[in-house]
Amino acid sequence: GNEGYRLDVSPHLITITVSEPIGVVRAAQTLRQLALGTEGSPQVEALTMTDFPAFKVRGVMHDVGRSFIDIEELKRQIDLLAQFKVNVFHWHLTENQAWRFEIKAFPQLTSAASMTRFAGKFYTQAECRELEEYAYERGVTIIPEIDMPGHMLGALAAYPEYGCTGGPYKVAERW
């Protein structure tokens, strides 16, 4: 969508003009940035500005398949992304080393035996929904990545019957 906005700050009034709701989120982030470093209550100089992103997608990726990051830390990082108007979080959830999100029909995917790093660490479905909502409220879209059919040793170690050879499969220890 159109993330642009116009910000008019006068001594007694702040006016934000947008064409889409996400523009309000971006304008509020700009106001926070403008108020940084003021003593006491936040203050913003009078100004008029029009701002919009130069690039539609501004993102970052975390490969939590290899290196698990807990939900609270991901939230702190999403706060930073939002502060700097980064609008996409690419969440790399599966890898040869581990499958990091819960699928109730296939519980062995998240068993410690199918992981080499941060064994037994994964995100529940509730945590995934919670993080998606948290990011959405801050204007950040989560793009989950599930590597299939490649990068599947973590899944095949848990369910060898789904592989071409029937296994046994060993989770990658080197990469």
Side-chain angles (χ1 to χ4, degrees), residues 62 64 69-79 89-91 93 123-138 140-143:
H62 275 309
V64 298
I69 301 170
D70 70 65
I71 286 291
E72 293 308 312
E73 177 59 26
L74 289 176
K75 286 179 179 179
R76 283 189 289 278
Q77 292 185 21
I78 285 171
D79 286 337
F89 171 51
H90 176 149
W91 200 11
L93 290 160
Y123 306 102
T124 65
Q125 290 179 11
E127 288 173 320
C128 292
R129 283 190 290 276
E130 176 187 343
L131 191 65
E132 190 278 331
E133 184 177 318
Y134 189 87
Y136 176 80
E137 291 170 353
R138 288 153 180 77
V140 177
T141 299
I142 294 179
I143 299 175

PDB file of all heavy atoms in Angstrom, residues 62 64 69-79 89-91 93 123-138 140-143:
ATOM      1  N   HIS A  62      15.670 -13.314   9.317  1.00  0.00           N
ATOM      2  CA  HIS A  62      16.314 -14.095  10.368  1.00  0.00           C
ATOM      3  C   HIS A  62      16.163 -15.563  10.018  1.00  0.00           C
ATOM      4  O   HIS A  62      15.058 -16.032   9.738  1.00  0.00           O
ATOM      5  CB  HIS A  62      15.678 -13.858  11.741  1.00  0.00           C
ATOM      6  CG  HIS A  62      16.223 -12.676  12.457  1.00  0.00           C
ATOM      7  ND1 HIS A  62      17.571 -12.460  12.642  1.00  0.00           N
ATOM      8  CD2 HIS A  62      15.595 -11.654  13.060  1.00  0.00           C
ATOM      9  CE1 HIS A  62      17.736 -11.342  13.318  1.00  0.00           C
ATOM     10  NE2 HIS A  62      16.560 -10.829  13.578  1.00  0.00           N
ATOM     11  N   VAL A  64      15.996 -18.523  11.718  1.00  0.00           N
ATOM     12  CA  VAL A  64      15.832 -19.147  13.031  1.00  0.00           C
ATOM     13  C   VAL A  64      15.881 -20.671  12.941  1.00  0.00           C
ATOM     14  O   VAL A  64      15.935 -21.345  13.969  1.00  0.00           O
ATOM     15  CB  VAL A  64      14.538 -18.673  13.732  1.00  0.00           C
ATOM     16  CG1 VAL A  64      14.582 -17.171  13.986  1.00  0.00           C
ATOM     17  CG2 VAL A  64      13.300 -19.064  12.941  1.00  0.00           C
ATOM     18  N   ILE A  69      15.786 -17.796  17.903  1.00  0.00           N
ATOM     19  CA  ILE A  69      15.668 -16.514  18.614  1.00  0.00           C
ATOM     20  C   ILE A  69      14.307 -16.525  19.304  1.00  0.00           C
ATOM     21  O   ILE A  69      13.286 -16.740  18.648  1.00  0.00           O
ATOM     22  CB  ILE A  69      15.747 -15.319  17.641  1.00  0.00           C
ATOM     23  CG1 ILE A  69      17.072 -15.346  16.878  1.00  0.00           C
ATOM     24  CG2 ILE A  69      15.559 -14.009  18.384  1.00  0.00           C
ATOM     25  CD1 ILE A  69      17.134 -14.350  15.741  1.00  0.00           C
ATOM     26  N   ASP A  70      14.274 -16.304  20.615  1.00  0.00           N
ATOM     27  CA  ASP A  70      13.001 -16.397  21.325  1.00  0.00           C
ATOM     28  C   ASP A  70      12.053 -15.269  20.933  1.00  0.00           C
ATOM     29  O   ASP A  70      12.460 -14.234  20.398  1.00  0.00           O
ATOM     30  CB  ASP A  70      13.202 -16.474  22.845  1.00  0.00           C
ATOM     31  CG  ASP A  70      13.690 -15.177  23.452  1.00  0.00           C
ATOM     32  OD1 ASP A  70      12.954 -14.176  23.413  1.00  0.00           O
ATOM     33  OD2 ASP A  70      14.806 -15.167  23.992  1.00  0.00           O
ATOM     34  N   ILE A  71      10.778 -15.485  21.191  1.00  0.00           N
ATOM     35  CA  ILE A  71       9.718 -14.569  20.764  1.00  0.00           C
ATOM     36  C   ILE A  71       9.909 -13.160  21.316  1.00  0.00           C
ATOM     37  O   ILE A  71       9.715 -12.175  20.599  1.00  0.00           O
ATOM     38  CB  ILE A  71       8.329 -15.126  21.160  1.00  0.00           C
ATOM     39  CG1 ILE A  71       7.940 -16.291  20.250  1.00  0.00           C
ATOM     40  CG2 ILE A  71       7.249 -14.055  21.126  1.00  0.00           C
ATOM     41  CD1 ILE A  71       7.648 -15.902  18.814  1.00  0.00           C
ATOM     42  N   GLU A  72      10.290 -13.033  22.569  1.00  0.00           N
ATOM     43  CA  GLU A  72      10.459 -11.696  23.151  1.00  0.00           C
ATOM     44  C   GLU A  72      11.570 -10.927  22.443  1.00  0.00           C
ATOM     45  O   GLU A  72      11.451  -9.722  22.221  1.00  0.00           O
ATOM     46  CB  GLU A  72      10.691 -11.775  24.659  1.00  0.00           C
ATOM     47  CG  GLU A  72       9.476 -12.270  25.428  1.00  0.00           C
ATOM     48  CD  GLU A  72       8.191 -11.493  25.113  1.00  0.00           C
ATOM     49  OE1 GLU A  72       8.224 -10.240  25.115  1.00  0.00           O
ATOM     50  OE2 GLU A  72       7.154 -12.135  24.861  1.00  0.00           O
ATOM     51  N   GLU A  73      12.652 -11.613  22.079  1.00  0.00           N
ATOM     52  CA  GLU A  73      13.729 -10.948  21.328  1.00  0.00           C
ATOM     53  C   GLU A  73      13.244 -10.580  19.928  1.00  0.00           C
ATOM     54  O   GLU A  73      13.564  -9.503  19.424  1.00  0.00           O
ATOM     55  CB  GLU A  73      14.971 -11.837  21.256  1.00  0.00           C
ATOM     56  CG  GLU A  73      16.103 -11.239  20.437  1.00  0.00           C
ATOM     57  CD  GLU A  73      16.612  -9.892  20.949  1.00  0.00           C
ATOM     58  OE1 GLU A  73      16.486  -9.601  22.156  1.00  0.00           O
ATOM     59  OE2 GLU A  73      17.133  -9.105  20.129  1.00  0.00           O
ATOM     60  N   LEU A  74      12.477 -11.457  19.284  1.00  0.00           N
ATOM     61  CA  LEU A  74      11.928 -11.116  17.960  1.00  0.00           C
ATOM     62  C   LEU A  74      11.027  -9.882  18.057  1.00  0.00           C
ATOM     63  O   LEU A  74      11.050  -9.025  17.169  1.00  0.00           O
ATOM     64  CB  LEU A  74      11.166 -12.300  17.367  1.00  0.00           C
ATOM     65  CG  LEU A  74      12.018 -13.475  16.902  1.00  0.00           C
ATOM     66  CD1 LEU A  74      11.133 -14.622  16.421  1.00  0.00           C
ATOM     67  CD2 LEU A  74      12.995 -13.060  15.822  1.00  0.00           C
ATOM     68  N   LYS A  75      10.260  -9.763  19.119  1.00  0.00           N
ATOM     69  CA  LYS A  75       9.408  -8.579  19.308  1.00  0.00           C
ATOM     70  C   LYS A  75      10.261  -7.317  19.439  1.00  0.00           C
ATOM     71  O   LYS A  75       9.929  -6.277  18.859  1.00  0.00           O
ATOM     72  CB  LYS A  75       8.516  -8.735  20.535  1.00  0.00           C
ATOM     73  CG  LYS A  75       7.372  -9.695  20.327  1.00  0.00           C
ATOM     74  CD  LYS A  75       6.551  -9.798  21.610  1.00  0.00           C
ATOM     75  CE  LYS A  75       5.372 -10.713  21.462  1.00  0.00           C
ATOM     76  NZ  LYS A  75       4.605 -10.815  22.710  1.00  0.00           N
ATOM     77  N   ARG A  76      11.354  -7.406  20.211  1.00  0.00           N
ATOM     78  CA  ARG A  76      12.247  -6.238  20.344  1.00  0.00           C
ATOM     79  C   ARG A  76      12.818  -5.856  18.970  1.00  0.00           C
ATOM     80  O   ARG A  76      12.930  -4.679  18.644  1.00  0.00           O
ATOM     81  CB  ARG A  76      13.369  -6.536  21.335  1.00  0.00           C
ATOM     82  CG  ARG A  76      12.942  -6.476  22.791  1.00  0.00           C
ATOM     83  CD  ARG A  76      14.119  -6.552  23.753  1.00  0.00           C
ATOM     84  NE  ARG A  76      14.735  -7.866  23.797  1.00  0.00           N
ATOM     85  CZ  ARG A  76      14.294  -8.895  24.523  1.00  0.00           C
ATOM     86  NH1 ARG A  76      13.229  -8.751  25.266  1.00  0.00           N
ATOM     87  NH2 ARG A  76      14.930 -10.042  24.505  1.00  0.00           N
ATOM     88  N   GLN A  77      13.163  -6.853  18.189  1.00  0.00           N
ATOM     89  CA  GLN A  77      13.712  -6.568  16.866  1.00  0.00           C
ATOM     90  C   GLN A  77      12.646  -6.000  15.926  1.00  0.00           C
ATOM     91  O   GLN A  77      12.942  -5.111  15.126  1.00  0.00           O
ATOM     92  CB  GLN A  77      14.368  -7.821  16.301  1.00  0.00           C
ATOM     93  CG  GLN A  77      15.613  -8.169  17.101  1.00  0.00           C
ATOM     94  CD  GLN A  77      16.393  -9.329  16.546  1.00  0.00           C
ATOM     95  OE1 GLN A  77      16.286  -9.672  15.385  1.00  0.00           O
ATOM     96  NE2 GLN A  77      17.211  -9.937  17.396  1.00  0.00           N
ATOM     97  N   ILE A  78      11.416  -6.475  16.036  1.00  0.00           N
ATOM     98  CA  ILE A  78      10.332  -5.901  15.234  1.00  0.00           C
ATOM     99  C   ILE A  78      10.095  -4.451  15.631  1.00  0.00           C
ATOM    100  O   ILE A  78       9.834  -3.603  14.777  1.00  0.00           O
ATOM    101  CB  ILE A  78       9.062  -6.769  15.331  1.00  0.00           C
ATOM    102  CG1 ILE A  78       9.282  -8.032  14.483  1.00  0.00           C
ATOM    103  CG2 ILE A  78       7.818  -6.003  14.885  1.00  0.00           C
ATOM    104  CD1 ILE A  78       8.229  -9.096  14.632  1.00  0.00           C
ATOM    105  N   ASP A  79      10.203  -4.143  16.922  1.00  0.00           N
ATOM    106  CA  ASP A  79      10.099  -2.739  17.355  1.00  0.00           C
ATOM    107  C   ASP A  79      11.167  -1.880  16.670  1.00  0.00           C
ATOM    108  O   ASP A  79      10.885  -0.757  16.238  1.00  0.00           O
ATOM    109  CB  ASP A  79      10.231  -2.623  18.875  1.00  0.00           C
ATOM    110  CG  ASP A  79       8.996  -3.103  19.609  1.00  0.00           C
ATOM    111  OD1 ASP A  79       7.900  -3.121  19.015  1.00  0.00           O
ATOM    112  OD2 ASP A  79       9.135  -3.456  20.802  1.00  0.00           O
ATOM    113  N   PHE A  89       9.516  -8.520   7.559  1.00  0.00           N
ATOM    114  CA  PHE A  89      10.344  -9.438   8.335  1.00  0.00           C
ATOM    115  C   PHE A  89      10.213 -10.814   7.694  1.00  0.00           C
ATOM    116  O   PHE A  89       9.150 -11.427   7.732  1.00  0.00           O
ATOM    117  CB  PHE A  89       9.904  -9.475   9.795  1.00  0.00           C
ATOM    118  CG  PHE A  89      10.570 -10.552  10.609  1.00  0.00           C
ATOM    119  CD1 PHE A  89      11.945 -10.698  10.608  1.00  0.00           C
ATOM    120  CD2 PHE A  89       9.813 -11.427  11.374  1.00  0.00           C
ATOM    121  CE1 PHE A  89      12.568 -11.699  11.360  1.00  0.00           C
ATOM    122  CE2 PHE A  89      10.418 -12.431  12.126  1.00  0.00           C
ATOM    123  CZ  PHE A  89      11.797 -12.565  12.118  1.00  0.00           C
ATOM    124  N   HIS A  90      11.279 -11.280   7.083  1.00  0.00           N
ATOM    125  CA  HIS A  90      11.349 -12.599   6.441  1.00  0.00           C
ATOM    126  C   HIS A  90      11.786 -13.583   7.520  1.00  0.00           C
ATOM    127  O   HIS A  90      12.908 -13.520   8.003  1.00  0.00           O
ATOM    128  CB  HIS A  90      12.362 -12.505   5.294  1.00  0.00           C
ATOM    129  CG  HIS A  90      12.614 -13.789   4.598  1.00  0.00           C
ATOM    130  ND1 HIS A  90      12.928 -13.826   3.270  1.00  0.00           N
ATOM    131  CD2 HIS A  90      12.631 -15.072   5.001  1.00  0.00           C
ATOM    132  CE1 HIS A  90      13.129 -15.076   2.900  1.00  0.00           C
ATOM    133  NE2 HIS A  90      12.952 -15.846   3.949  1.00  0.00           N
ATOM    134  N   TRP A  91      10.874 -14.487   7.888  1.00  0.00           N
ATOM    135  CA  TRP A  91      11.080 -15.410   8.999  1.00  0.00           C
ATOM    136  C   TRP A  91      11.384 -16.795   8.447  1.00  0.00           C
ATOM    137  O   TRP A  91      10.484 -17.530   8.052  1.00  0.00           O
ATOM    138  CB  TRP A  91       9.830 -15.421   9.862  1.00  0.00           C
ATOM    139  CG  TRP A  91       9.974 -15.908  11.257  1.00  0.00           C
ATOM    140  CD1 TRP A  91      11.116 -16.164  11.934  1.00  0.00           C
ATOM    141  CD2 TRP A  91       8.900 -16.179  12.164  1.00  0.00           C
ATOM    142  NE1 TRP A  91      10.832 -16.585  13.213  1.00  0.00           N
ATOM    143  CE2 TRP A  91       9.472 -16.598  13.380  1.00  0.00           C
ATOM    144  CE3 TRP A  91       7.515 -16.096  12.073  1.00  0.00           C
ATOM    145  CZ2 TRP A  91       8.708 -16.940  14.488  1.00  0.00           C
ATOM    146  CZ3 TRP A  91       6.753 -16.434  13.175  1.00  0.00           C
ATOM    147  CH2 TRP A  91       7.346 -16.854  14.364  1.00  0.00           C
ATOM    148  N   LEU A  93      11.945 -20.297   8.833  1.00  0.00           N
ATOM    149  CA  LEU A  93      11.547 -21.189   9.921  1.00  0.00           C
ATOM    150  C   LEU A  93      12.039 -22.628   9.808  1.00  0.00           C
ATOM    151  O   LEU A  93      11.998 -23.364  10.793  1.00  0.00           O
ATOM    152  CB  LEU A  93      10.018 -21.204  10.032  1.00  0.00           C
ATOM    153  CG  LEU A  93       9.413 -19.911  10.561  1.00  0.00           C
ATOM    154  CD1 LEU A  93       7.943 -19.812  10.195  1.00  0.00           C
ATOM    155  CD2 LEU A  93       9.605 -19.825  12.064  1.00  0.00           C
ATOM    156  N   TYR A 123       8.610 -22.596  17.847  1.00  0.00           N
ATOM    157  CA  TYR A 123       7.524 -21.656  18.093  1.00  0.00           C
ATOM    158  C   TYR A 123       6.198 -22.398  18.030  1.00  0.00           C
ATOM    159  O   TYR A 123       5.941 -23.138  17.079  1.00  0.00           O
ATOM    160  CB  TYR A 123       7.533 -20.525  17.054  1.00  0.00           C
ATOM    161  CG  TYR A 123       8.871 -19.840  16.966  1.00  0.00           C
ATOM    162  CD1 TYR A 123       9.739 -20.121  15.921  1.00  0.00           C
ATOM    163  CD2 TYR A 123       9.282 -18.943  17.939  1.00  0.00           C
ATOM    164  CE1 TYR A 123      10.984 -19.513  15.838  1.00  0.00           C
ATOM    165  CE2 TYR A 123      10.526 -18.333  17.868  1.00  0.00           C
ATOM    166  CZ  TYR A 123      11.372 -18.619  16.815  1.00  0.00           C
ATOM    167  OH  TYR A 123      12.602 -18.027  16.743  1.00  0.00           O
ATOM    168  N   THR A 124       5.358 -22.192  19.031  1.00  0.00           N
ATOM    169  CA  THR A 124       4.022 -22.781  18.997  1.00  0.00           C
ATOM    170  C   THR A 124       3.175 -22.009  17.989  1.00  0.00           C
ATOM    171  O   THR A 124       3.522 -20.888  17.580  1.00  0.00           O
ATOM    172  CB  THR A 124       3.349 -22.706  20.375  1.00  0.00           C
ATOM    173  OG1 THR A 124       3.129 -21.325  20.701  1.00  0.00           O
ATOM    174  CG2 THR A 124       4.180 -23.399  21.446  1.00  0.00           C
ATOM    175  N   GLN A 125       2.054 -22.610  17.607  1.00  0.00           N
ATOM    176  CA  GLN A 125       1.144 -21.904  16.708  1.00  0.00           C
ATOM    177  C   GLN A 125       0.664 -20.608  17.335  1.00  0.00           C
ATOM    178  O   GLN A 125       0.558 -19.581  16.658  1.00  0.00           O
ATOM    179  CB  GLN A 125      -0.033 -22.806  16.336  1.00  0.00           C
ATOM    180  CG  GLN A 125       0.360 -23.952  15.442  1.00  0.00           C
ATOM    181  CD  GLN A 125      -0.806 -24.854  15.092  1.00  0.00           C
ATOM    182  OE1 GLN A 125      -1.966 -24.536  15.350  1.00  0.00           O
ATOM    183  NE2 GLN A 125      -0.497 -25.995  14.494  1.00  0.00           N
ATOM    184  N   ALA A 126       0.400 -20.627  18.633  1.00  0.00           N
ATOM    185  CA  ALA A 126      -0.046 -19.410  19.329  1.00  0.00           C
ATOM    186  C   ALA A 126       1.034 -18.332  19.279  1.00  0.00           C
ATOM    187  O   ALA A 126       0.734 -17.149  19.069  1.00  0.00           O
ATOM    188  CB  ALA A 126      -0.417 -19.733  20.777  1.00  0.00           C
ATOM    189  N   GLU A 127       2.299 -18.716  19.462  1.00  0.00           N
ATOM    190  CA  GLU A 127       3.389 -17.733  19.390  1.00  0.00           C
ATOM    191  C   GLU A 127       3.513 -17.156  17.983  1.00  0.00           C
ATOM    192  O   GLU A 127       3.762 -15.953  17.823  1.00  0.00           O
ATOM    193  CB  GLU A 127       4.714 -18.376  19.805  1.00  0.00           C
ATOM    194  CG  GLU A 127       4.818 -18.651  21.288  1.00  0.00           C
ATOM    195  CD  GLU A 127       6.062 -19.433  21.654  1.00  0.00           C
ATOM    196  OE1 GLU A 127       6.439 -20.365  20.904  1.00  0.00           O
ATOM    197  OE2 GLU A 127       6.660 -19.112  22.697  1.00  0.00           O
ATOM    198  N   CYS A 128       3.346 -17.986  16.972  1.00  0.00           N
ATOM    199  CA  CYS A 128       3.411 -17.489  15.588  1.00  0.00           C
ATOM    200  C   CYS A 128       2.309 -16.467  15.329  1.00  0.00           C
ATOM    201  O   CYS A 128       2.556 -15.404  14.755  1.00  0.00           O
ATOM    202  CB  CYS A 128       3.312 -18.643  14.591  1.00  0.00           C
ATOM    203  SG  CYS A 128       4.746 -19.755  14.596  1.00  0.00           S
ATOM    204  N   ARG A 129       1.090 -16.781  15.772  1.00  0.00           N
ATOM    205  CA  ARG A 129      -0.023 -15.830  15.606  1.00  0.00           C
ATOM    206  C   ARG A 129       0.231 -14.543  16.396  1.00  0.00           C
ATOM    207  O   ARG A 129      -0.037 -13.438  15.922  1.00  0.00           O
ATOM    208  CB  ARG A 129      -1.340 -16.473  16.030  1.00  0.00           C
ATOM    209  CG  ARG A 129      -1.904 -17.441  15.008  1.00  0.00           C
ATOM    210  CD  ARG A 129      -3.322 -17.875  15.341  1.00  0.00           C
ATOM    211  NE  ARG A 129      -3.391 -18.729  16.505  1.00  0.00           N
ATOM    212  CZ  ARG A 129      -3.195 -20.045  16.498  1.00  0.00           C
ATOM    213  NH1 ARG A 129      -2.932 -20.653  15.370  1.00  0.00           N
ATOM    214  NH2 ARG A 129      -3.277 -20.733  17.607  1.00  0.00           N
ATOM    215  N   GLU A 130       0.737 -14.700  17.624  1.00  0.00           N
ATOM    216  CA  GLU A 130       1.034 -13.544  18.474  1.00  0.00           C
ATOM    217  C   GLU A 130       2.063 -12.626  17.807  1.00  0.00           C
ATOM    218  O   GLU A 130       1.903 -11.403  17.789  1.00  0.00           O
ATOM    219  CB  GLU A 130       1.564 -14.037  19.819  1.00  0.00           C
ATOM    220  CG  GLU A 130       2.008 -12.969  20.773  1.00  0.00           C
ATOM    221  CD  GLU A 130       2.670 -13.541  22.026  1.00  0.00           C
ATOM    222  OE1 GLU A 130       2.512 -14.748  22.314  1.00  0.00           O
ATOM    223  OE2 GLU A 130       3.359 -12.769  22.705  1.00  0.00           O
ATOM    224  N   LEU A 131       3.113 -13.210  17.250  1.00  0.00           N
ATOM    225  CA  LEU A 131       4.147 -12.402  16.607  1.00  0.00           C
ATOM    226  C   LEU A 131       3.615 -11.730  15.346  1.00  0.00           C
ATOM    227  O   LEU A 131       3.925 -10.567  15.083  1.00  0.00           O
ATOM    228  CB  LEU A 131       5.380 -13.251  16.279  1.00  0.00           C
ATOM    229  CG  LEU A 131       6.598 -12.442  15.845  1.00  0.00           C
ATOM    230  CD1 LEU A 131       7.106 -11.563  16.998  1.00  0.00           C
ATOM    231  CD2 LEU A 131       7.705 -13.357  15.355  1.00  0.00           C
ATOM    232  N   GLU A 132       2.792 -12.438  14.596  1.00  0.00           N
ATOM    233  CA  GLU A 132       2.209 -11.850  13.380  1.00  0.00           C
ATOM    234  C   GLU A 132       1.350 -10.638  13.738  1.00  0.00           C
ATOM    235  O   GLU A 132       1.443  -9.593  13.106  1.00  0.00           O
ATOM    236  CB  GLU A 132       1.377 -12.910  12.635  1.00  0.00           C
ATOM    237  CG  GLU A 132       0.943 -12.481  11.253  1.00  0.00           C
ATOM    238  CD  GLU A 132      -0.284 -11.597  11.223  1.00  0.00           C
ATOM    239  OE1 GLU A 132      -1.139 -11.716  12.119  1.00  0.00           O
ATOM    240  OE2 GLU A 132      -0.397 -10.770  10.287  1.00  0.00           O
ATOM    241  N   GLU A 133       0.536 -10.757  14.780  1.00  0.00           N
ATOM    242  CA  GLU A 133      -0.305  -9.639  15.215  1.00  0.00           C
ATOM    243  C   GLU A 133       0.549  -8.480  15.731  1.00  0.00           C
ATOM    244  O   GLU A 133       0.292  -7.314  15.432  1.00  0.00           O
ATOM    245  CB  GLU A 133      -1.277 -10.103  16.292  1.00  0.00           C
ATOM    246  CG  GLU A 133      -2.242  -9.019  16.731  1.00  0.00           C
ATOM    247  CD  GLU A 133      -3.245  -9.527  17.755  1.00  0.00           C
ATOM    248  OE1 GLU A 133      -3.760 -10.653  17.585  1.00  0.00           O
ATOM    249  OE2 GLU A 133      -3.513  -8.781  18.722  1.00  0.00           O
ATOM    250  N   TYR A 134       1.570  -8.801  16.505  1.00  0.00           N
ATOM    251  CA  TYR A 134       2.479  -7.793  17.045  1.00  0.00           C
ATOM    252  C   TYR A 134       3.137  -6.995  15.913  1.00  0.00           C
ATOM    253  O   TYR A 134       3.190  -5.769  15.947  1.00  0.00           O
ATOM    254  CB  TYR A 134       3.541  -8.494  17.896  1.00  0.00           C
ATOM    255  CG  TYR A 134       4.422  -7.569  18.698  1.00  0.00           C
ATOM    256  CD1 TYR A 134       4.039  -7.138  19.956  1.00  0.00           C
ATOM    257  CD2 TYR A 134       5.649  -7.142  18.196  1.00  0.00           C
ATOM    258  CE1 TYR A 134       4.845  -6.302  20.706  1.00  0.00           C
ATOM    259  CE2 TYR A 134       6.464  -6.307  18.943  1.00  0.00           C
ATOM    260  CZ  TYR A 134       6.053  -5.886  20.189  1.00  0.00           C
ATOM    261  OH  TYR A 134       6.861  -5.053  20.917  1.00  0.00           O
ATOM    262  N   ALA A 135       3.612  -7.710  14.912  1.00  0.00           N
ATOM    263  CA  ALA A 135       4.267  -7.062  13.776  1.00  0.00           C
ATOM    264  C   ALA A 135       3.256  -6.223  12.985  1.00  0.00           C
ATOM    265  O   ALA A 135       3.551  -5.082  12.597  1.00  0.00           O
ATOM    266  CB  ALA A 135       4.916  -8.106  12.871  1.00  0.00           C
ATOM    267  N   TYR A 136       2.079  -6.769  12.744  1.00  0.00           N
ATOM    268  CA  TYR A 136       1.046  -6.054  11.983  1.00  0.00           C
ATOM    269  C   TYR A 136       0.707  -4.710  12.637  1.00  0.00           C
ATOM    270  O   TYR A 136       0.593  -3.691  11.945  1.00  0.00           O
ATOM    271  CB  TYR A 136      -0.203  -6.927  11.859  1.00  0.00           C
ATOM    272  CG  TYR A 136      -1.344  -6.235  11.169  1.00  0.00           C
ATOM    273  CD1 TYR A 136      -1.381  -6.146   9.776  1.00  0.00           C
ATOM    274  CD2 TYR A 136      -2.371  -5.641  11.894  1.00  0.00           C
ATOM    275  CE1 TYR A 136      -2.420  -5.494   9.134  1.00  0.00           C
ATOM    276  CE2 TYR A 136      -3.413  -4.989  11.263  1.00  0.00           C
ATOM    277  CZ  TYR A 136      -3.432  -4.917   9.881  1.00  0.00           C
ATOM    278  OH  TYR A 136      -4.458  -4.254   9.250  1.00  0.00           O
ATOM    279  N   GLU A 137       0.579  -4.710  13.951  1.00  0.00           N
ATOM    280  CA  GLU A 137       0.259  -3.473  14.677  1.00  0.00           C
ATOM    281  C   GLU A 137       1.333  -2.410  14.497  1.00  0.00           C
ATOM    282  O   GLU A 137       1.081  -1.222  14.681  1.00  0.00           O
ATOM    283  CB  GLU A 137       0.077  -3.768  16.167  1.00  0.00           C
ATOM    284  CG  GLU A 137      -1.166  -4.568  16.480  1.00  0.00           C
ATOM    285  CD  GLU A 137      -1.214  -5.064  17.919  1.00  0.00           C
ATOM    286  OE1 GLU A 137      -0.216  -4.897  18.656  1.00  0.00           O
ATOM    287  OE2 GLU A 137      -2.252  -5.639  18.292  1.00  0.00           O
ATOM    288  N   ARG A 138       2.526  -2.823  14.131  1.00  0.00           N
ATOM    289  CA  ARG A 138       3.657  -1.903  13.960  1.00  0.00           C
ATOM    290  C   ARG A 138       3.997  -1.664  12.493  1.00  0.00           C
ATOM    291  O   ARG A 138       5.021  -1.074  12.176  1.00  0.00           O
ATOM    292  CB  ARG A 138       4.865  -2.455  14.724  1.00  0.00           C
ATOM    293  CG  ARG A 138       4.677  -2.311  16.221  1.00  0.00           C
ATOM    294  CD  ARG A 138       5.433  -3.346  17.019  1.00  0.00           C
ATOM    295  NE  ARG A 138       5.197  -3.150  18.444  1.00  0.00           N
ATOM    296  CZ  ARG A 138       4.082  -3.518  19.074  1.00  0.00           C
ATOM    297  NH1 ARG A 138       3.113  -4.124  18.414  1.00  0.00           N
ATOM    298  NH2 ARG A 138       3.934  -3.296  20.370  1.00  0.00           N
ATOM    299  N   VAL A 140       4.646  -3.953  10.138  1.00  0.00           N
ATOM    300  CA  VAL A 140       5.635  -4.890   9.617  1.00  0.00           C
ATOM    301  C   VAL A 140       4.912  -6.157   9.168  1.00  0.00           C
ATOM    302  O   VAL A 140       4.153  -6.744   9.938  1.00  0.00           O
ATOM    303  CB  VAL A 140       6.709  -5.233  10.669  1.00  0.00           C
ATOM    304  CG1 VAL A 140       7.692  -6.265  10.132  1.00  0.00           C
ATOM    305  CG2 VAL A 140       7.445  -3.979  11.124  1.00  0.00           C
ATOM    306  N   THR A 141       5.143  -6.563   7.932  1.00  0.00           N
ATOM    307  CA  THR A 141       4.565  -7.788   7.396  1.00  0.00           C
ATOM    308  C   THR A 141       5.554  -8.929   7.588  1.00  0.00           C
ATOM    309  O   THR A 141       6.729  -8.784   7.260  1.00  0.00           O
ATOM    310  CB  THR A 141       4.275  -7.628   5.886  1.00  0.00           C
ATOM    311  OG1 THR A 141       3.333  -6.564   5.708  1.00  0.00           O
ATOM    312  CG2 THR A 141       3.730  -8.909   5.281  1.00  0.00           C
ATOM    313  N   ILE A 142       5.067 -10.048   8.112  1.00  0.00           N
ATOM    314  CA  ILE A 142       5.914 -11.231   8.259  1.00  0.00           C
ATOM    315  C   ILE A 142       5.728 -12.127   7.040  1.00  0.00           C
ATOM    316  O   ILE A 142       4.602 -12.459   6.671  1.00  0.00           O
ATOM    317  CB  ILE A 142       5.596 -12.011   9.542  1.00  0.00           C
ATOM    318  CG1 ILE A 142       5.952 -11.178  10.771  1.00  0.00           C
ATOM    319  CG2 ILE A 142       6.342 -13.353   9.559  1.00  0.00           C
ATOM    320  CD1 ILE A 142       5.655 -11.849  12.091  1.00  0.00           C
ATOM    321  N   ILE A 143       6.842 -12.503   6.437  1.00  0.00           N
ATOM    322  CA  ILE A 143       6.829 -13.480   5.353  1.00  0.00           C
ATOM    323  C   ILE A 143       7.523 -14.732   5.889  1.00  0.00           C
ATOM    324  O   ILE A 143       8.741 -14.745   6.053  1.00  0.00           O
ATOM    325  CB  ILE A 143       7.555 -12.955   4.098  1.00  0.00           C
ATOM    326  CG1 ILE A 143       6.868 -11.702   3.573  1.00  0.00           C
ATOM    327  CG2 ILE A 143       7.628 -14.051   3.031  1.00  0.00           C
ATOM    328  CD1 ILE A 143       7.580 -11.054   2.410  1.00  0.00           C
TER     329      ILE A 143
END
